[in-house]
Structure formats: structure tokens, C-alpha cells
Amino acid sequence: MRGVVFNGDRDLEIAEFDDPAPGPDDAVVAMKASGMCGSDLRFYRAPAGDALAAFGLSGDGGGIIAGHEPCGVVVALGANVDQRAVRVGDRVMIYHYDGCGTCDRCRTGWTQMCQRGATIFGATANGGHADFIKVPARTLVPLPDEVSFAAGAAISCGTGTAYGALRRLRLDACDAIAVFGLGPVGLSAVQLAAAMGAEVIAVDVQADRVARAKEFGAAHTIDSSSVDAVAAIRELTGGAGVSCALDCSGAPVARAAVVKSAAQWGRVAFVGEGNDVTLDVSPDVIRKQLTILGSYTFSITGQADCARFVARHELDVDRLFTDRWRLADAAVAYAEFDKQAGGKAVIEF
């Protein structure tokens, strides 16, 4: 089979691998869609091994098949796999982490926080940019028939991350939420929050992203390259601020604005990785009785819940994709994706 390998310094190759055969507890999935994520660019751009080190992981990543948003059809199962849970022919997403399976974090579905160390498909183990992927069967997540494979790939990372943060914010129809950073995660948050009944204010420094947010259900949009986003949010909310705010950018300025835009007793979440933030803690946090939380992707049950939510509300997650590629075009696909000029991209099979 073919698989995409990042060699570092913006070099990749499509290498040949043996077709995988399942071990006793494994499943082999034929890929139908494998999403391209902004975090993949860290591995694409960096010298070999540097991206793993930045994530606190060991190894140099050499020879690992990329892609941590896999979605496809089960084609083989190991002898120990309970077919009441999964069968050949099932449409599935893959939870892109695995762990020991026995620690408290794994047993509650938060495998990325495994107390003995997590495996990350596409980073420390072979991922989805290939014709097939072999994974432990316990990492498979059902994909509803109403949801496309490409949408399933999005749910497997960015869209699922947005959903996980909104659930942790306890968002409902009584809330107004400001979403800062309108890449694929931010636009997913806008779409999901609107479906949850919240009034959504979408904020970004790029005019084209701000314009797209209306298509995803934003009630209000703010181009923060030309106006003070906090002041604009205060004006929209009668001076109170929003009950919820979410940073999907990871930018220090946006993080500070997220906190400042929140109302008294407000709830704030950070999902954008990297960088830092400087806050005036007394007026911005303590005296506002603010709750600030970090939200790290989602649990395996949260991924399934997100997919069911998307199906139930008939959300057009496919709208996220501006670029669709074939595996043979991976080098061109990543060269284009590296420009960060479009929306979300996916490799389809």
C-alpha cells in the first residue's frame, strides 16, 4: 500500500508499505477520507523529530505514516474482536489516540491523557494518509450513515475539538458566545454553537474567514484587524459581555481579548495550542468571578456524541472543506496547505 511520510523541512514522500494484517485485537480500515490538520504542518515544516519534541513526545517520527484524522470502512478484524461491537463493512472514524487501556484516564475514554503515555496515530504510530490503517479495534468510533466520510474525518479532530470545548463550557440556548479564530476549529465551533441555539459572535483578523462565518450560522461577525473586538462585543451585548468565549487561535492577543470580552460569571475556554497570554488577573478574572478552562481535544465517547449531534441536526460539516485531494497528489496538497490561504483540506480515496 501507499503511505505519506513527512521527512521534515517541507519534504514528504509517498512510500510503499506492506498491506497491514490485523493482530488478535486489531482492525484494518480502508481509508475513505483522511483530513489535513494545521497541526500536521508542524511535522511537515519542522526538521525531523523537532515537532515531536515540541509536543513533548520522543522519537524522530522517521518512517511514520502521517495523518491523524482517519475515516473509512472496516475490511478485516482480529480473532479476539467482539463482532457485537464492530463488523467488517462498518463505516467508522478512528479515535486517533491509544493508551494502556487500564489506567483511569483510558478507562474513562480520555486516552490522550494515558498515565503510561499515549500513542498518537499519524505522529508516533502510522496514521491515515495511506490506503489502509491498522489500529486496535477499541479505537473505532461508529460513523452515522447520514455523515460523509470527509465530515467524519473532520469530527475526528477539529470539529470534535470544537464540540468538546462547547460541552465543557455547558453552552445552551441561553448563552451568547464569542468565538475567536475562524479556522476549521473555529468555524466548527460557530456551526455547532448555532445548532445548540446560542447567539454566536465570530471574530478573526482575516476578512475572508469573517465572511465565511455567516455561512456557518454566526449572528454577528467582527473583523478584529480593523475594530476593537472587545469593544464591539460589549456594544453588541449592551455592555455586559458574553456569557461564554472560546479561543481557537492560540494567539496571545486573541486569548486576552477572549477573557476581556466575557461577562461577569462568564465561562472561557482555550483550545488553540502554543504561545502564551498576559492577563490583568484582578479586574479580568477574579473580580468578574470568571471560569477559565483548557479543553484538550475530546474523549472517545465525546467523538461519538459529536457525530450523532451532527447527524441529528443535519449539519453540513462538509462546508468546511475548500480543498480535496487524492493521495497521489500529497506533495502538491501539502505545499498548497502550507500557504494557509484556504479552509480545511482532505485526502479522499
Side-chain angles (χ1 to χ4, degrees):
M1 71 173 189
R2 303 164 299 164
V4 174
V5 175
F6 294 146
N7 295 323
D9 296 312
R10 291 182 165 86
D11 177 60
L12 67 77
E13 63 177 311
I14 301 174
E16 290 189 357
F17 295 83
D18 292 337
D19 289 345
D25 300 305
D26 296 333
V28 175
V29 178
M31 287 294 92
K32 296 297 182 183
S34 184
M36 296 166 61
C37 177
S39 61
D40 290 324
L41 290 176
R42 299 189 186 191
F43 295 89
Y44 174 70
R45 294 167 175 167
D50 282 15
L52 279 174
F55 280 103
L57 302 170
S58 59
D60 63 6
I64 296 292
I65 297 172
H68 63 274
E69 299 182 357
C71 195
V73 174
V74 177
V75 293
L77 293 170
N80 294 342
V81 177
D82 188 342
Q83 295 197 29
R84 293 173 297 180
V86 59
R87 294 176 179 269
V88 170
D90 283 356
R91 305 170 80 249
V92 294
M93 301 173 289
I94 295 171
Y95 188 61
H96 65 273
Y97 307 101
D98 191 34
C100 69
T102 59
C103 72
D104 289 345
R105 299 290 84 80
C106 287
R107 286 163 61 87
T108 55
W110 292 94
T111 315
Q112 73 271 44
M113 301 174 72
C114 176
Q115 291 161 308
R116 295 178 177 88
T119 296
I120 305 175
F121 301 115
T124 62
N126 286 337
H129 287 359
D131 295 305
F132 301 96
I133 185 173
K134 180 182 78 170
V135 294
R138 63 181 176 237
T139 65
L140 301 183
V141 180
L143 180 67
D145 290 339
E146 301 91 337
V147 180
S148 74
F149 288 112
I155 291 167
S156 298
C157 188
T159 299
T161 293
Y163 182 82
L166 297 176
R167 292 300 303 269
R168 292 200 60 201
L169 283 168
R170 306 188 312 278
L171 189 80
D172 63 28
C174 295
D175 289 307
I177 182 170
V179 178
F180 283 70
L182 301 175
V185 176
L187 288 177
S188 293
V190 170
Q191 186 177 51
L192 292 162
M196 293 173 183
E199 180 182 5
V200 183
I201 303 170
V203 186
D204 202 285
V205 296
Q206 295 187 29
D208 57 335
R209 288 184 168 186
V210 172
R212 287 195 79 200
K214 281 285 189 180
E215 303 172 17
F216 286 79
H220 312 282
T221 57
I222 297 171
D223 183 343
S224 55
S225 70
S226 58
V227 300
D228 182 325
V230 175
I233 289 169
R234 294 284 177 188
E235 183 176 354
L236 287 168
T237 57
V242 287
S243 55
C244 292
L246 173 64
D247 174 62
C248 302
S249 72
V253 171
R255 283 187 178 141
V258 161
V259 172
K260 291 177 182 295
S261 69
Q264 292 180 348
W265 302 101
R267 307 179 307 275
V268 170
F270 293 154
V271 299
E273 293 270 11
N275 294 312
D276 54 19
V277 63
T278 299
L279 301 173
D280 193 347
V281 173
S282 289
D284 292 344
V285 182
I286 294 174
R287 295 173 195 167
K288 288 168 63 176
Q289 302 275 20
L290 209 63
T291 298
I292 301 178
L293 59 88
S295 187
Y296 179 28
T297 59
F298 43 85
S299 68
I300 191 168
T301 55
Q303 182 174 344
D305 192 25
C306 180
R308 287 190 294 267
F309 184 90
V310 166
R312 187 181 312 120
H313 291 271
E314 300 180 346
L315 299 186
D316 185 11
V317 174
D318 289 87
R319 186 187 292 268
L320 288 170
F321 295 100
T322 57
D323 298 280
R324 295 172 184 263
W325 302 92
R326 294 296 180 184
L327 187 65
D329 300 318
V332 176
Y334 269 95
E336 289 298 313
F337 191 49
D338 190 30
K339 298 174 184 177
Q340 294 287 271
K344 188 161 181 61
V346 62
I347 295 172
E348 295 182 311
F349 297 80

